[in-house]
Amino acid sequence: MRSILLAKQISDSVLRKSALTWTVVRPGTLTDGPGTGRVKAGGHLEPGRISRADVAAVLVGVPAEPLTENRGFDVVSGGFPVAAALAALG
């Protein structure tokens, strides 16, 4: 597991230094439950859980929200609609 985390850290660092427009979404522990469409997103959140369906909804919402460009953020289940949670990242 340690080597995987190191590889992720290195790849994220290379991406941040590139000329590409990027977004790194760091979901909490994934579940197979139904999506709620409600999440919490932020720079460094406490560990939490989130359904795969809600992660997919976040990934669909990222290109529509300019505040997600060139940043990484955590996402877990929460009380905000996906679009509102992404818009609050600013």
Side-chain angles (χ1 to χ4, degrees):
M1 183 64 133
R2 190 175 192 174
S3 62
I4 293 170
L5 293 176
L6 179 60
K8 172 106 172 78
Q9 183 179 21
I10 291 168
S11 64
D12 286 356
S13 177
V14 169
L15 185 60
R16 284 185 180 98
K17 294 176 185 175
S18 77
L20 298 171
T21 300
W22 56 271
T23 303
V24 175
V25 178
R26 298 181 300 262
T29 301
L30 298 173
T31 69
D32 291 327
T36 65
R38 302 183 74 78
V39 300
K40 181 177 181 182
H44 295 285
L45 301 177
E46 294 292 320
R49 299 168 61 90
I50 185 167
S51 71
R52 286 174 171 81
D54 284 337
V55 173
V58 169
L59 295 176
V60 168
V62 162
E65 179 51 65
L67 293 174
T68 64
E69 290 182 4
N70 299 320
R71 73 180 315 157
F73 60 91
D74 298 343
V75 63
V76 295
S77 292
F80 303 96
V82 170
L86 296 177
L89 287 169

